[in-house]
């Protein structure tokens, strides 16, 4: 946001210096990023051409003698301007002066053999306009020898403020002046904008077909205007803040945008066919905008259209077809309200950045819609003449102010500073808020220009930035009890570790509601009265969640509904078993849908991926537990899980017979039906607060003494067992044959066939044997193999397959 010092003083009565204003702006939260004191124009002086004769060797050049007003003899200047003549008074630059418009530093030089000791400047060379057909021609009473910048009011400092997105009120010079006045740096000039009476109705009517995108629209016709250049003072202000003057009508809209934070648009009424309609764009509809580019629109975008088509991209940029030019005689002035989110989305999609979009996407003052139109009408009449019609206002139902309950004690609680009650209320009143009530808690009516203020913390911020954050006394951080003491709790560390582990496995983190429908809670073991909310924010958010899975499954289905069927989501958060603090659990959960496997999903040249299943969920659960420090090698997997899983495609992870660390599996069809979801879905939940804490480790690293110097050996066994026997039971039986020598057992094949007999299957395992004390002989291996076969036979009834 840029503004000039004189522009600010149009709205603020103050004797403060530029330095004081800059310091105060930053202290009240409007950070000043840059100040241009216009020193580059200081070397230019007003000078008078004494004589002007033809150059002896160039038809288009003249040799001037110029009086610079310094009491010295006139200097010789070679000039090519067609209006250079004796008696002309203009802007002179001496050698050594930097000319910003042509990026040149002057030196004494020869032009066609004649020395030139400076330059008489055009407006473009001083970056005042695009005019360069002749040098600047000042009135005869211009004081020779004085500063040209001071005479032309070009020494006006330019202040650039780096606004935060939550301050739409500070996108106007008036809003910035309001803040400075509230801080005690002057008095706000707040003269009301008087309505301009109109003659007859505006013949162009407006229909709003998309009120959710346009809550209000004001339109006014002004007949008989003459659209020429805008006044010099207005052009200078626009140039100072980086805008190019175009014409009086366009410059007025830009001026009101910055002066009052009220973006406007002007249509050439002669180019508008019929009435205007505010509607959603049709898919594939195109418009040629004022920047000369053609944009393809979608139904998510809002437009203003007449009978022939689109005339403007709402809140962002007008169309070239109905733009105003020097031939415009009748003008339609538009002042409307546009939905901030839709405006931001449209701007990002089309890649258009404008001053109007910058304000609408932050939220403009709805109560300024009609006054902004009145101000623009007055300026049009002043600069262009004409006869205004009556204002047409459509769709605007008036502003309903927010009321915030504000305990004044919050200022002390949140900032540590005791601000007197009267001071807090006075600050809020100066900022335009209306405190009502007595006592510590007051109701504060939020002004229409502050859509960012929603709660008591926002009001504390308003009080503190005006009272002065520099009044907060610095406090040193407390020292820790020990060097490098652990800052995070075990649960915090596990939460971070689980999130990283699941993200590495290709899952996306989701954040779901802690409240779910009662029907969903009942499907996942909830529904108890203790989990029901006394004051639910919605009917479908009546119960505290007993599990993270309902929210994740619903999120996966929403993605599928939008065409993203292969999705893997996880969440690490709290679940609830009752209303006590000790009945909350810390859980890591995840779901996979479609073909969202770890190794890749969807279509591939090597073949389509299979659907997700129980083993994908198991791998995710084990990975999360391992990241949280669970002893994975000691975990036990039992078939079956809670009722929301498929009974034959689920499992429970235990540490010993009693400690349940998690569950996983494919979901029961009835569960999916109750949640109104479809598709292959599997998921898991692990209870990271149930993982036992590791024993304290020694601070000094010790060498490992358990590494064997002997060669490891692997042996394969295949056992025929009943179909009901679980592979895990057989693995544990083989491990128990000799825990000292056997370092690991893994299943590498499961086979069923008629050759084995009815209700039989073959499970093949690989046994890793690690000698510790000596190299094993053939007899040692035979004895170990015999023990493995006997142990498996005793515990599973299995026999060695021949």
């Amino acid at each position: 946001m840029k503004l000039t010092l004189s522009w600010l003083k149009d709205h603020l009565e103050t004797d403060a210096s530029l330095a004081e204003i800059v310091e105060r702006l930053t202290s009240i939260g409007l950070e000043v990023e840059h100040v241009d004191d216009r020193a580059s124009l200081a070397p230019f002086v007003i000078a008078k051409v004494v004589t002007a004769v033809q150059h002896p060797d160039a038809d288009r050049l003249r040799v001037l003698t110029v009086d610079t007003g310094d009491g010295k003899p006139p200097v010789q200047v070679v000039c090519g301007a067609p209006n250079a003549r004796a008696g002309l008074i203009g802007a002179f630059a001496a050698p050594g002066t930097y000319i910003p418009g042509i990026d040149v530093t002057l030196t004494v030089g020869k032009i066609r053999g004649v020395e030139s000791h400076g330059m008489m400047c055009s407006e473009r060379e001083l970056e005042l306009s695009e005019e360069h057909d002749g040098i600047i021609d000042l009135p005869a009473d211009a004081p020779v020898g004085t500063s040209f910048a001071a005479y032309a009011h070009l020494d006006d400092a330019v202040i650039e403020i780096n606004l935060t997105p939550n301050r739409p009120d500070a996108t106007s010079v008036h809003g910035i002046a309001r803040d400075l006045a509230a801080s005690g740096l002057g008095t706000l000039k707040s003269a009301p904008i008087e309505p301009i009476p109109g003659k007859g109705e505006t013949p162009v009517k407006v229909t709003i077909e998309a009120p959710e995108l346009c809550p209000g629209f004001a339109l006014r016709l002004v007949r008989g205007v003459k659209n020429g250049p805008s006044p010099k003072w207005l052009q200078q202000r626009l140039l100072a803040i980086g805008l190019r003057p175009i014409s009086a009508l366009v410059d007025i809209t830009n001026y009101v945008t910055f002066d009052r934070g009220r973006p406007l648009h002007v249509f050439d009424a002669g180019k508008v066919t019929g009435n205007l309609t505010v509607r959603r764009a049709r898919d594939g509809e195109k418009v040629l905008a004022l920047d000369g580019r053609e944009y393809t629109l979608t139904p998510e975008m809002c437009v203003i259209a007449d009978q022939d088509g689109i005339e403007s991209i709402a809140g962002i940029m007008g169309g070239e077809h109905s733009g105003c030019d020097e031939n415009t005689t009748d003008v339609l002035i538009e002042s409307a309200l546009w939905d901030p989110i839709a405006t931001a989305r449209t701007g990002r999609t089309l890649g258009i950045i404008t001053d109007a979009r910058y304000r609408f996407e932050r939220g403009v003052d709805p109560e300024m819609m009609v006054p902004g139109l009145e101000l623009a009408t007055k300026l049009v009449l002043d600069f262009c003449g004409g006869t205004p019609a009556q204002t047409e206002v459509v769709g605007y139902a008036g502003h309903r102010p927010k009321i915030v309950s504000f305990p004044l004690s919050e200022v002390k609680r949140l900032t540590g500073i005791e601000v007197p009650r009267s001071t807090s209320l006075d600050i809020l009143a100066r900022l335009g808020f209306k405190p009502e009530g007595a006592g510590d808690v007051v109701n504060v009516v939020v002004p229409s220009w502050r859509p960012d203020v929603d709660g008591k913390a926002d009001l504390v911020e308003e009080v503190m930035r005006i009272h002065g954050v520099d009044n907060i006394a610095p406090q040193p951080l407390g020292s820790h009890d020990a060097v490098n003491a652990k800052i995070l709790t075990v649960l915090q560390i596990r939460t971070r570790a689980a999130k990283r582990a699941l993200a590495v496995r290709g899952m996306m983190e989701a954040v779901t509601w802690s409240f779910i429908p009662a029907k969903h809670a009942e499907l996942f073991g909830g529904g108890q009265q203790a989990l029901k909310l006394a004051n639910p924010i919605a009917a479908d958010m009546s119960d505290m969640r007993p599990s993270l899975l309902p929210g994740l499954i619903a999120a996966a289905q929403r993605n599928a509904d939008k065409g993203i069927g292969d999705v893997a989501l996880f969440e690490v958060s709290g679940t609830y078993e009752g209303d006590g603090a000790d009945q909350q659990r810390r859980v890591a959960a995840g779901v996979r849908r479609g073909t969202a496997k770890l190794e890749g999903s969807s279509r591939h040249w090597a073949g389509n991926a299979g659907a997700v299943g129980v083993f994908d969920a198991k791998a995710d659960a084990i990975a999360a537990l391992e990241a949280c420090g669970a002893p994975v090698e000691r975990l036990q997997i039992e078939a079956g899980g809670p009722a929301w899983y498929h009974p034959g495609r689920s499992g429970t992870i235990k540490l010993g017979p009693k400690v349940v660390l998690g569950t996983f599996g494919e979901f029961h069809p009835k569960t999916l039906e109750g949640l109104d979801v479809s598709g292959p879905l599997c998921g898991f939940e692990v209870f990271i607060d149930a993982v036992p804490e590791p024993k304290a480790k020694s601070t000094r690293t010790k060498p490992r003494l358990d590494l064997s110097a002997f060669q490891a050996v692997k042996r394969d066994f295949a056992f025929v067992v009943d179909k009901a026997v679980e592979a895990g039971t057989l693995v544990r039986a083989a491990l128990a044959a000799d825990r000292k020598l056997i370092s690991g057992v893994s299943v590498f094949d499961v086979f069923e066939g008629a050759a084995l007999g009815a209700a039989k299957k073959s499970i093949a395992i690989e046994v890793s044997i690690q000698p510790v004390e000596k190299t094993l002989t053939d007899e040692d291996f035979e004895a170990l193999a015999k023990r493995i076969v006997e142990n498996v036979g005793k515990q599973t009834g299995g026999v060695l397959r021949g």
Side-chain angles (χ1 to χ4, degrees):
M1 174 65 190
K2 289 184 177 182
L3 68 156
T4 66
L5 183 60
S6 65
W7 198 345
L8 177 66
K9 290 187 175 182
D10 281 354
H11 296 272
L12 182 70
E13 187 71 46
T14 181
D15 295 327
S17 66
L18 174 63
E20 290 172 327
I21 291 172
V22 168
E23 182 180 1
R24 183 62 59 86
L25 284 171
T26 300
S27 71
I28 61 176
L30 302 177
E31 180 187 0
V32 176
E33 195 170 63
H34 180 68
V35 176
D36 181 4
D37 58 6
R38 310 304 293 275
S40 62
L41 297 179
F44 297 92
V45 299
I46 297 176
K48 182 176 182 179
V49 178
V50 179
T51 63
V53 298
Q54 187 67 39
H55 191 288
D57 198 23
D59 293 339
R60 297 186 178 182
L61 298 179
R62 289 173 175 259
V63 180
L64 314 179
T65 55
V66 178
D67 178 12
T68 62
D70 58 359
K72 298 178 181 179
V75 296
Q76 181 173 278
V77 175
V78 178
C79 179
N83 65 334
R85 65 186 188 278
L88 180 144
I89 298 177
F92 172 75
T97 302
Y98 173 73
I99 311 298
I102 56 176
D103 192 24
V104 167
T105 299
L106 292 181
T107 60
V108 176
K110 284 188 177 182
I111 302 176
R112 292 289 185 94
V114 177
E115 278 194 352
S116 181
H117 296 263
M119 172 188 282
M120 295 297 289
C121 302
S122 68
E123 290 190 359
R124 189 174 73 170
E125 287 159 346
L126 269 62
E127 294 185 330
L128 302 181
S129 73
E130 293 300 314
E131 176 62 43
H132 63 285
D133 291 337
I135 56 178
I136 295 172
D137 191 350
L138 298 177
D141 58 354
V144 175
T146 61
S147 168
F148 170 73
Y151 172 80
H153 305 290
L154 299 175
D155 54 350
D156 198 4
V158 179
I159 304 169
E160 184 174 0
I161 298 174
N162 184 16
L163 288 182
T164 53
N166 66 321
R167 291 300 307 277
D169 61 302
T171 60
S172 70
V173 179
H174 187 79
I176 293 170
R178 183 194 299 116
D179 267 18
L180 287 171
S183 73
L185 204 66
T187 304
L188 181 67
K189 299 177 182 178
S190 55
I193 299 173
E194 298 296 336
I196 305 296
K199 295 182 180 179
E201 293 186 354
T202 294
V204 178
K205 303 303 178 184
V206 179
T207 302
I208 301 178
E209 294 182 358
E212 69 280 6
L213 301 181
C214 177
F217 196 104
L219 188 71
R220 185 174 220 167
L221 174 68
V222 181
R223 297 183 177 90
V225 301
K226 185 177 180 181
N227 186 26
S230 57
K232 206 70 177 177
W233 67 265
L234 177 53
Q235 292 188 38
Q236 289 175 355
R237 282 191 174 174
L238 296 180
L239 284 167
I241 62 174
L243 296 181
R244 180 174 61 90
I246 298 173
S247 66
L249 292 176
V250 176
D251 292 353
I252 287 168
T253 64
N254 288 331
Y255 176 77
V256 176
T257 296
F258 279 83
D259 188 69
R260 299 287 178 151
R262 174 63 256 181
L264 305 168
H265 185 63
V266 286
F267 300 92
D268 187 327
K271 300 175 183 177
V272 175
T273 305
N275 296 323
L276 295 178
T277 302
V278 179
R279 58 172 173 83
R280 291 181 180 271
R282 300 182 181 95
D283 196 20
E285 211 168 8
K286 296 182 178 181
V287 60
L288 181 63
L290 285 170
D291 61 358
R293 297 172 59 189
E294 186 176 69
Y295 296 95
T296 303
L297 310 181
T298 66
E300 289 75 29
M301 301 173 183
C302 187
V303 299
I304 305 173
D306 64 4
Q307 292 180 6
D308 292 339
I310 297 175
E311 298 296 350
S312 176
I313 306 171
I316 296 179
M317 184 178 288
E320 188 175 84
H321 170 262
S322 58
C324 294
D325 55 29
E326 66 277 4
N327 299 315
T328 299
T329 56
D330 297 341
V331 61
L332 286 167
I333 309 173
E334 168 249 306
S335 177
L337 300 175
W338 306 110
D339 178 68
I341 295 177
T343 303
R345 186 186 296 117
T346 300
R348 285 195 298 269
T349 301
L350 299 179
I352 304 176
I353 300 174
T354 62
D355 293 317
R357 173 196 161 184
Y358 181 85
R359 285 158 178 80
F360 280 123
E361 68 185 5
R362 284 161 171 77
V364 300
D365 181 3
E367 292 291 89
M368 193 62 193
M369 182 180 75
V370 174
L373 182 61
E374 299 289 354
L375 177 59
T377 303
K378 180 180 184 303
L379 294 174
V380 168
L381 298 180
D382 289 345
F383 302 162
C384 308
T387 303
Q390 295 173 4
T391 300
E392 175 92 1
V393 180
V394 180
Y396 185 54
H399 173 66
R400 297 181 62 183
K402 289 182 286 189
I403 299 177
V404 178
S405 179
F406 182 38
L408 293 168
S409 57
E410 285 292 285
V411 177
K412 170 70 173 177
R413 188 181 73 84
L414 293 179
T415 67
I417 294 182
E418 190 72 53
V419 179
R421 180 182 188 278
S422 58
T423 302
S424 296
L425 297 180
D426 183 53
I427 288 173
L428 292 174
R430 295 201 306 267
L431 287 170
F433 296 86
K434 295 179 180 178
E436 299 174 348
D440 179 63
V441 180
V442 296
N443 290 326
V444 178
V445 180
V446 179
S448 59
W449 58 81
R450 292 303 301 271
D452 58 299
V453 175
D454 288 314
K456 56 188 180 183
D458 297 322
L459 295 176
V460 172
E461 180 184 355
E462 293 302 301
V463 171
M464 282 313 304
R465 69 184 184 87
I466 300 300
H467 180 70
V469 293
D470 50 350
N471 290 321
I472 301 176
Q475 298 290 334
L477 290 174
S479 60
H480 298 297
D481 295 335
V483 177
N484 293 331
K486 185 168 65 175
I487 297 175
L488 301 178
T489 66
V490 171
L491 211 53
Q492 289 172 329
I493 294 171
R494 289 178 179 174
T495 297
R496 292 187 175 189
K499 288 182 178 182
R500 290 194 183 102
L502 294 173
V504 166
R505 293 182 60 79
M507 305 185 81
M508 302 287 290
E509 184 176 6
V511 179
T512 63
W513 287 98
S514 298
F515 319 128
I516 60 175
K519 181 182 176 182
H520 293 184
E522 291 167 3
L523 288 172
F524 286 83
Q528 305 95 321
Q529 188 61 36
L531 292 181
K532 294 193 176 295
L533 297 173
N535 254 329
I537 60 176
D540 59 349
M541 291 186 174
S542 59
D543 288 46
M544 300 297 290
R545 62 185 177 194
S547 167
L548 298 179
L549 293 173
L552 291 172
I553 294 172
Q557 184 62 40
R558 285 194 295 272
N559 279 272
D561 293 342
K562 295 181 181 296
I564 307 173
D566 302 325
V567 64
L569 304 174
F570 78 88
E571 183 172 9
V572 184
S573 190
T575 62
Y576 306 89
E577 298 176 350
D579 57 1
D582 58 340
Q583 292 181 296
Q584 299 180 20
R585 304 208 67 175
R586 196 69 174 175
V587 179
V591 297
R592 291 183 183 270
R593 189 189 186 280
T595 61
K597 292 174 171 285
L598 174 63
E599 63 272 14
S601 63
S602 194
R603 300 160 64 186
H604 192 268
W605 64 267
N608 291 346
V612 295
V614 60
F615 294 108
D616 298 301
K618 176 185 176 183
D620 292 333
I622 296 297
L625 287 171
E626 185 176 15
C628 293
V632 176
E633 70 282 354
R634 291 165 46 200
L635 298 181
Q636 301 171 5
I637 310 295
E638 291 186 0
W644 49 89
Y645 290 115
H646 192 293
R649 300 174 189 171
S650 59
T652 301
I653 306 172
K654 289 186 174 182
L655 184 62
K658 295 182 178 179
V659 180
V660 176
L661 294 184
T663 59
F664 62 88
E666 299 174 27
F667 294 104
H668 198 291
K670 289 186 177 180
T671 303
L672 299 181
E673 183 181 352
L675 295 173
D676 193 23
V677 299
S678 60
L681 272 161
C682 67
F684 71 91
E685 277 188 305
V686 295
F687 311 113
I688 62 178
D689 54 359
V691 177
E693 291 193 24
K695 295 180 181 178
K697 296 181 180 179
S698 171
T699 57
R700 185 174 296 177
T701 303
K702 296 180 180 179
R704 288 191 62 182
L705 303 177
D706 59 342
L707 297 178
S708 175
F710 302 100
Q711 178 69 41
V713 181
K714 294 182 178 180
R715 290 288 187 266
D716 295 343
F717 298 84
F719 294 94
V720 178
V721 296
D722 293 337
K723 282 187 177 180
V725 174
E726 298 174 355
T729 304
L730 191 147
V731 168
R732 288 192 293 272
L735 276 170
D738 192 325
R739 295 190 179 278
K740 188 174 181 181
L741 286 176
I742 299 175
S743 60
V745 178
S746 61
V747 177
F748 68 86
D749 184 56
V750 177
F751 171 74
E752 296 179 12
L756 298 177
K760 295 290 184 180
K761 65 180 177 181
S762 169
I763 299 177
I765 61 173
E766 179 185 76
V767 179
S768 299
I769 304 167
Q770 178 62 66
V772 178
E773 298 175 349
K774 65 175 183 176
T775 301
L776 300 182
T777 63
D778 289 342
E779 291 78 12
D780 294 329
F781 282 116
E782 289 297 331
L784 178 59
K786 184 178 179 180
R787 291 197 300 274
I788 292 173
V789 172
E790 289 176 351
N791 219 41
V792 170
K794 287 179 182 179
Q795 297 190 30
T796 68
V799 296
L800 196 63
R801 183 179 174 187

